[in-house]
Amino acid sequence: MHAASEYSLDLPAIEHWLLANGVLARPGLDDVRQLAGGTQNIVMRFSNGGRDYVLRHPPAKPRPNSNRLLEREVRLLRALGGSDVPHPAVVAVCTDLSVASGLFYVMEALDGFNPTVVMPEHVAASAPVRHRMGLEMIDGLVALSKVDPIAKGLEDFGKLDGFLERQVGRWAGELQSYARFTGWEGPDALGDVAGVGQWLAENVPPDMQPGIIHGDYHIGNCIFAEDGRLNAIVDWEMATLGDPLVDLGRLLVSWPMEGQAKPQTMRVAPLDGFATPAEMIARYAERSGRSLAHLPWFEVLACYKLGLILEGTHARAQTGLAEMETGKRLHRSAVSLLQEARSIIARA
């Protein structure tokens, strides 16, 4: 038995609840280990009775909406049941906050690897496997784009009216909120942020084909099989309803171009061999049937949104609330993303 303090969780209480609700075959949580990569929640893997599970719980210092976000994640994962979207199946959910000081849920553990954590040697040595990984990520997005949220009971999962029109104001407001960090140097170091926002506001696509959005679709939120197949898309807490092209734009702005890295490029090695952005765009267009006439807008939006989010860590670091080296690294990424946005605009 592991002490509760070892993982900032009351494991005996969690084990008792899992036993009482028929999840565990016998007493005891075996091979308990905390997984890397879960920055917004505690993510823990354990085994019992020959089966492996993953538990998600709010962080030791939860945000005001931590439980609500996990509730939404559970609802979304359950709705994806029976679809072609690769995702972990939910096994059990505890909404009684008195059990472990927060909502938690248990899902099936999936074998595979996350390339931002470890790139297996044979994958690092195989350009064809890495090439497949990129195309599989596109196929995962295509599968998600084909899920009808209304048919899945998700009609109230997000506000579709004015979704695209709201984006600039939403993220411009986020940037303005950093003024509360007195040490922050301000937005000028990012270049002409307002110009990017103005272009987005003036070029909003005239219509959209709504669907489910993952909200943070990148290679770090994917689990792959040894042959490059996509086993699961994970970390759905930012999921909502809107235009699925938001996810495609987010993926593309982090993708390497001919193996070349930029500050915002996905942090995996090696970078060569992956499918090119052109290949991925063509595959999405062919398999989704969606028009990509306004794809540059979604790429610019992805640069704008992610850049402003990353600058928040830099603002906190300059005020002493985050690690300075991390803040500087994310600031470089933010600057690069806004420059990328301006380059896309110039080509559009």
Side-chain angles (χ1 to χ4, degrees):
M1 180 69 65
H2 294 263
S5 60
E6 183 179 354
Y7 297 105
S8 303
L9 288 178
D10 190 343
L11 291 185
I14 290 173
E15 177 191 343
H16 177 78
W17 187 91
L18 293 173
L19 269 171
N21 286 273
V23 177
L24 303 183
R26 55 169 178 73
L29 304 182
D30 304 322
D31 302 320
V32 178
R33 63 189 188 277
Q34 193 159 327
L35 301 181
T39 57
Q40 301 300 324
N41 293 290
I42 297 171
V43 185
M44 183 174 298
R45 183 165 177 150
F46 66 92
S47 61
N48 178 276
R51 293 185 63 185
D52 292 330
Y53 303 91
V54 171
L55 178 146
R56 283 173 69 85
H57 183 286
K61 295 181 179 179
R63 297 157 290 168
N65 62 345
S66 286
N67 290 312
R68 184 180 66 82
L69 288 175
L70 277 184
E71 256 185 318
R72 283 175 57 84
E73 186 170 19
V74 167
R75 182 182 174 193
L76 190 280
L77 287 173
R78 284 176 163 166
L80 291 178
S83 75
D84 292 330
V85 180
H87 66 283
V90 175
V91 176
V93 184
C94 178
T95 57
D96 183 349
L97 305 186
S98 69
V99 173
S101 302
L103 181 147
F104 68 88
Y105 75 92
V106 172
M107 55 187 164
E108 63 177 356
L110 298 169
D111 292 330
F113 68 93
N114 181 305
T116 64
V117 178
V118 59
M119 183 79 86
E121 288 186 13
H122 80 278
V123 178
S126 174
V129 172
R130 296 195 300 282
H131 188 267
R132 180 181 182 182
M133 289 164 62
L135 297 181
E136 286 273 327
M137 289 188 68
I138 290 296
D139 291 347
L141 271 189
V142 169
L144 182 61
S145 75
K146 293 181 179 295
V147 176
D148 181 350
I150 308 303
K152 291 292 186 177
L154 296 175
E155 59 277 353
D156 60 343
F157 199 70
K159 184 180 178 183
L160 288 172
D161 290 344
F163 173 81
L164 296 178
E165 292 81 358
R166 293 197 306 271
Q167 296 305 304
V168 173
R170 163 71 178 86
W171 300 110
E174 182 74 8
L175 181 65
Q176 293 168 3
S177 75
Y178 303 154
R180 68 186 187 276
F181 300 114
T182 56
W184 181 46
E185 62 187 322
D188 289 348
L190 295 172
D192 186 9
V193 180
V196 175
Q198 181 177 352
W199 183 88
L200 285 167
E202 292 175 352
N203 291 275
V204 176
D207 50 36
M208 73 172 185
Q209 187 177 345
I212 300 171
I213 300 173
H214 177 277
D216 194 23
Y217 195 71
H218 57 83
I219 201 166
N221 283 334
C222 292
I223 306 297
F224 295 91
E226 297 295 309
D227 61 359
R229 179 170 39 86
L230 179 60
N231 269 357
I233 303 167
V234 297
D235 288 0
W236 292 85
E237 68 173 26
M238 294 179 68
T240 189
L241 301 186
D243 194 320
L245 293 182
V246 167
D247 281 336
L248 180 59
R250 169 68 178 90
L251 176 60
L252 291 173
V253 301
S254 69
W255 208 254
M257 176 70 75
E258 299 179 351
Q260 299 301 308
K262 296 180 180 180
Q264 78 270 16
T265 303
M266 62 189 192
R267 303 178 72 189
V268 302
L271 278 173
D272 66 296
F274 282 98
T276 66
E279 288 178 293
M280 296 165 74
I281 292 169
R283 191 178 183 98
Y284 188 93
E286 175 190 355
R287 299 197 171 190
S288 72
R290 289 173 177 262
S291 170
L292 300 185
H294 298 283
L295 181 58
W297 190 89
F298 291 94
E299 294 178 280
V300 172
L301 175 65
C303 292
Y304 183 77
K305 172 183 173 180
L306 183 56
L308 300 194
I309 290 173
L310 296 182
E311 183 62 14
T313 300
H314 183 229
R316 289 189 290 274
Q318 289 192 308
T319 310
L321 299 176
E323 204 275 323
M324 182 57 77
E325 189 55 40
T326 300
K328 289 180 178 179
R329 175 175 60 81
L330 296 183
H331 175 67
R332 289 192 294 270
S333 294
V335 170
S336 180
L337 281 160
L338 270 299
Q339 181 56 48
E340 184 74 13
R342 289 186 283 271
S343 296
I344 296 169
I345 289 171
R347 298 193 301 266

